[in-house]
Amino acid sequence: MKKLLISFIALVAFLAGCNQSVSQEDSHGDIAKLAYEWEVAYFDNDYKREQELLYEEGSFEVHKTREKKNSGLKYEDIRYEIYYDKESDFYYVLVDFKNPVGENSVEEELLIRKKDDEWKVDTSKSLDIDRDEVKKEFERKACIHCE
């Protein structure tokens, strides 16, 4: 009977661990989608949408008076490298894509952190990110659209 109880507890612990891994993988996709939403709002000059995605509303005012447009940016055209800082509970997202409204390539670094149980883009802290340091310091958790 004791062995059965121990086996049952081990099985429950194993299944809980498997479920947690699936949730973690799902969150990486959610983080990439948030990064995508940010890039679309940015390239579309969509001030209202940018404000909804920001960690600190009002901290990014560059598109406040610009006319909204449709950049045509697509999720599939963007490469997302996702790193997690467990100590700070931050995600670093290294974003690479070809500018849909220009000839240049875009390399951007985003810091994504929680505010009121929602992941938000912190544009102020994103400016301080050193891409090479992130790659050295943290383990990559996901790479979406990488070849």
Side-chain angles (χ1 to χ4, degrees):
M1 184 67 168
K2 207 176 207 181
K3 285 183 182 181
L4 182 62
L5 180 60
I6 291 171
S7 296
F8 178 73
I9 291 171
L11 178 63
V12 168
F14 174 75
L15 292 174
C18 289
N19 191 27
Q20 194 170 30
S21 296
V22 170
S23 296
Q24 185 69 14
E25 293 229 355
D26 289 345
S27 70
H28 296 145
D30 293 342
I31 295 299
K33 285 198 175 31
L34 174 61
Y36 169 70
E37 288 179 39
W38 170 257
E39 295 299 340
V40 168
Y42 181 86
F43 276 87
D44 288 355
N45 296 331
D46 189 345
Y47 174 77
K48 184 178 177 190
R49 183 63 181 139
E50 287 172 341
Q51 293 302 306
E52 293 169 357
L53 300 170
L54 285 173
Y55 183 80
E56 188 177 327
E57 281 190 47
S59 64
F60 192 79
E61 298 287 305
V62 72
H63 294 140
K64 190 172 189 171
T65 58
R66 286 182 141 182
E67 187 176 324
K68 191 175 165 183
K69 62 182 179 180
N70 182 357
S71 65
L73 190 59
K74 295 182 177 127
Y75 180 75
E76 306 80 38
D77 295 336
I78 302 175
R79 181 179 191 268
Y80 307 91
E81 283 188 64
I82 301 171
Y83 297 81
Y84 180 66
D85 180 346
K86 186 175 184 176
E87 188 175 303
S88 301
D89 195 27
F90 294 162
Y91 278 99
Y92 297 99
V93 183
L94 309 180
V95 182
D96 299 291
F97 59 96
K98 185 181 176 311
N99 184 344
V101 292
E103 296 294 316
N104 62 313
S105 294
V106 175
E107 284 187 354
E108 190 166 36
E109 298 80 32
L110 299 174
L111 182 118
I112 298 177
R113 62 186 187 153
K114 269 196 178 171
K115 182 177 185 179
D116 301 327
D117 291 328
E118 284 188 72
W119 293 104
K120 300 283 186 172
V121 176
D122 189 331
T123 54
S124 300
K125 298 262 188 209
S126 293
L127 297 172
D128 300 332
I129 296 173
D130 180 319
R131 183 176 279 247
D132 294 327
E133 285 295 314
V134 168
K135 288 181 176 187
K136 281 187 225 171
E137 223 174 292
F138 303 100
E139 179 184 343
R140 185 169 72 184
K141 296 297 181 183
C143 195
I144 299 170
H145 304 134
C146 299
E147 284 133 33

